[in-house]
Amino acid sequence: MAIGIVSVLFIYPLNNTFAGTVRLIDNISQILFPLMVLGASHALIKFYPGLSPERRLQLFNYSMVSIFYISLAIFFGLVLFSNCGNYENAKLLYYAFPIAVCLAYIELFKKQSQDLQRIAIPTLYEKIIPKIVLPVLFLLMAYGTLQPNASLFIYTACYILILGLTSLYLFRYFKPGINYRFKTLFGELSRKDYYRYSIYSFAGSLGSMLAFRIDGLIIPEFFSLADNGVFGYAVTLSSTLQIPAVGMFALYAPLISGYIKSGDIDELNYKYKDVARLLLFIGALLYSCILLGVEDLFLLLPTYEKLKGAIPVIYVLGLSVVLNMATGFNGEIITYSKYYRFNLITVALLIVFNISFSLYAIYYTDMGLTGVAWASFLSMSLFNIAKLAFIYKKFRLLPFDGRFAKLAVIFTLSTIGIYLLPDSSSHFINLIYKCGLSLLLNVLVVYRMCLVHQVNDWMDKLLAKVIR
């Protein structure tokens, strides 16, 4: 993530148009690849343990073959669309398609690696290589060594490289053989169960991709590729707020599943509120620093003119991330309960709201990219409200309590108060003193009022080391 932030601040603004082009290609490929996989990777995880060793190999081979034929059908569909349609960026589809094919097979191979308990290396390839290649391409273009089209070819090739490395790693430990007669597979595995689960997984994956990436498709159509790049910077920087939440949800997922299966609602209720308070504290603390310091930070950078359009978008998207964190693990509660299908309904609502609000902001306001950000904020708020209402109806649980409300009030008042303090003539001094004051004041108040027990535990350990 550090590589991504440094690139957003210093490298990607060297060419906003190319950044927007890459973001559009990424978004198209991220929407295409769930179509190609069609839930096969999730079905591999679901049914793999219950099959005999020979049928496991057949299931993997069947998944590879199905991805190939679906990808072929999608390719012909894209050719027909680009030739018959009037899509301005149609040529970018031919970069997005091979990336999507690679992502589809990478996803399948990662799931197989997960079954083998060897997921770390393939994940490393996928996360690190594009983050290294893309900044290098920007720098080479800035110095006139590469042209944009050549850079896009190289960027596409990096995913082919990732697929090759992942394949070599997987097939060192896993030998699927050549067995493409699948009648015996579906003698042991119910074809109906397989396709039902695959379609459900596909719908969830595609829905999530559409819901969280739809702005990356809308902005190039109504604004420009450069604006798409600027919006992408805001998305990248604001999404750093949710890094602690991602780790925490992964940590608590087995516990949530266990509480629901055992019917231990009291313990689930305690953890629900406890984690929501902690995530609100972390999210609000980081967001207060963004509100108070991001403009001063950008003014210190040589790329300020290219980044300044992202500032109001960061404010709005950052608030959306904080609200999403503060509702706790409501998605996980639904996922691990018998009501898991409700997630499809909420994702569908998120897509409809996001598109509707975005189009309204574009056609009926003059807010520009900030309007699209507010559309995302409103749709995400309704998305979380729907899940909160459903959980309350089915489980009588809410993530909020009196301490949660106190936290919200403390952060709101402290941020407003510090914002109103006089500014220095130095942007660096403003950045340090306002962000530093926010961190110090909020941590001390929360510690003294014992609102988040994890904060008190951390502070007590720190104080014990200092005093010692």
Side-chain angles (χ1 to χ4, degrees):
M1 199 66 189
I3 297 173
I5 293 172
V6 171
S7 299
V8 164
L9 294 178
F10 295 99
I11 300 175
Y12 296 160
L14 295 173
N15 193 332
N16 282 351
T17 300
F18 187 73
T21 302
V22 171
R23 183 168 186 255
L24 178 57
I25 290 171
D26 278 343
N27 284 323
I28 295 171
S29 61
Q30 291 287 341
I31 289 170
L32 286 179
F33 101 79
L35 288 169
M36 297 171 178
V37 176
L38 205 66
S41 59
H42 292 283
L44 186 68
I45 292 291
K46 169 73 173 177
F47 297 107
Y48 190 87
L51 297 175
S52 63
E54 185 180 354
R55 300 297 171 259
R56 291 177 180 180
L57 301 179
Q58 283 184 302
L59 180 60
F60 178 80
N61 287 334
Y62 182 80
S63 302
M64 287 205 302
V65 170
S66 68
I67 289 175
F68 174 78
Y69 282 115
I70 295 170
S71 300
L72 201 60
I74 289 173
F75 176 74
F76 287 120
L78 292 178
V79 171
L80 187 65
F81 173 75
S82 61
N83 289 329
C84 300
N86 192 28
Y87 183 46
E88 183 181 352
N89 296 305
K91 66 177 182 179
L92 300 182
L93 296 173
Y94 296 103
Y95 294 105
F97 175 77
I99 292 176
V101 173
C102 291
L103 288 173
Y105 279 107
I106 290 167
E107 175 71 9
L108 179 66
F109 292 172
K110 281 172 56 184
K111 294 298 184 184
Q112 183 61 53
S113 299
Q114 185 176 333
D115 281 326
L116 301 174
Q117 302 296 310
R118 295 183 178 274
I119 189 65
I121 298 299
T123 301
L124 184 68
Y125 291 151
E126 186 185 14
K127 297 296 184 185
I128 296 298
I129 292 177
K131 285 183 170 61
I132 294 174
V133 170
L134 194 55
V136 171
L137 293 177
F138 271 85
L139 292 173
L140 290 174
M141 284 192 297
Y143 287 104
T145 307
L146 279 179
Q147 296 300 312
N149 285 339
S151 297
L152 290 176
F153 275 114
I154 295 172
Y155 182 66
T156 303
C158 93
Y159 282 92
I160 299 173
L161 173 64
I162 295 168
L163 175 59
L165 292 173
T166 304
S167 302
L168 289 173
Y169 179 79
L170 172 64
F171 295 137
R172 282 175 57 193
Y173 305 98
F174 178 70
K175 310 294 182 184
I178 303 174
N179 185 348
Y180 298 105
R181 296 177 181 177
F182 302 117
K183 286 186 178 180
T184 51
L185 169 64
F186 290 108
E188 187 173 323
L189 170 63
S190 167
R191 191 183 295 267
K192 181 180 179 181
D193 289 345
Y194 176 83
Y195 284 118
R196 179 189 295 163
Y197 187 82
S198 295
I199 294 298
Y200 166 75
S201 300
F202 155 72
S205 299
L206 181 63
S208 296
M209 288 295 179
L210 281 171
F212 295 106
R213 292 182 176 271
I214 197 70
D215 53 59
L217 301 179
I218 291 175
I219 291 170
E221 288 300 299
F222 293 95
F223 297 95
S224 68
L225 289 172
D227 288 328
N228 195 37
V230 171
F231 197 91
Y233 307 151
V235 171
T236 299
L237 294 174
S238 59
S239 64
T240 58
L241 294 173
Q242 66 185 3
I243 293 174
V246 173
M248 202 161 295
F249 291 154
L251 180 66
Y252 277 92
L255 293 175
I256 299 164
S257 178
Y259 294 146
I260 291 173
K261 287 179 181 177
S262 65
D264 193 350
I265 301 301
D266 290 338
E267 191 62 27
L268 178 63
N269 181 44
Y270 172 78
K271 291 294 184 186
Y272 193 22
K273 289 178 168 56
D274 185 55
V275 170
R277 285 194 304 270
L278 177 59
L279 289 177
L280 174 62
F281 170 78
I282 294 171
L285 190 66
L286 296 175
Y287 182 63
S288 68
C289 293
I290 287 177
L291 276 177
L292 297 168
V294 71
E295 186 166 11
D296 288 306
L297 173 63
F298 282 7
L299 282 165
L300 293 170
L301 303 177
T303 52
Y304 171 72
E305 289 300 321
K306 298 290 186 72
L307 287 170
K308 65 181 181 181
I311 293 173
V313 180
I314 292 171
Y315 293 155
V316 179
L317 295 181
L319 180 60
S320 178
V321 171
V322 173
L323 292 179
N324 190 48
M325 291 171 64
T327 54
F329 42 66
N330 50 20
E332 283 70 19
I333 291 176
I334 296 171
T335 297
Y336 294 116
S337 73
K338 62 182 179 181
Y339 308 109
Y340 61 90
R341 291 182 182 86
F342 183 74
N343 275 334
L344 290 180
I345 298 173
T346 56
V347 167
L349 287 174
L350 179 58
I351 295 170
V352 171
F353 286 142
N354 207 342
I355 294 174
S356 302
F357 292 154
S358 294
L359 293 177
Y360 179 85
I362 291 167
Y363 283 113
Y364 297 103
T365 74
D366 58 356
M367 298 174 69
L369 294 179
T370 308
V372 178
W374 278 115
S376 178
F377 170 81
L378 290 173
S379 57
M380 184 61 71
S381 298
L382 292 173
F383 173 67
N384 279 302
I385 289 170
K387 290 194 290 185
L388 288 172
F390 185 81
I391 290 172
Y392 183 74
K393 180 180 179 181
K394 297 298 182 181
F395 298 95
R396 294 295 167 184
L397 299 177
L398 283 174
F400 315 123
D401 58 11
R403 284 182 287 176
F404 185 99
K406 291 176 182 178
L407 276 172
V409 171
I410 288 167
F411 277 105
T412 301
L413 294 178
S414 66
T415 303
I416 292 173
I418 296 171
Y419 178 81
L420 294 175
L421 290 175
D423 288 332
S424 164
S425 58
S426 167
H427 297 298
F428 179 75
I429 292 174
N430 278 339
L431 175 66
I432 298 300
Y433 107 80
K434 288 199 171 183
C435 292
L437 184 58
S438 178
L439 290 171
L440 182 64
L441 180 63
N442 286 306
V443 169
L444 287 178
V445 171
V446 170
Y447 173 73
R448 290 297 299 271
M449 295 182 68
C450 300
L451 297 178
V452 181
H453 75 82
Q454 293 92 338
V455 174
N456 284 73
D457 293 341
W458 297 334
M459 289 294 293
D460 288 340
K461 290 179 182 177
L462 179 62
L463 292 172
K465 289 181 180 179
V466 172
I467 294 171
R468 187 186 309 169

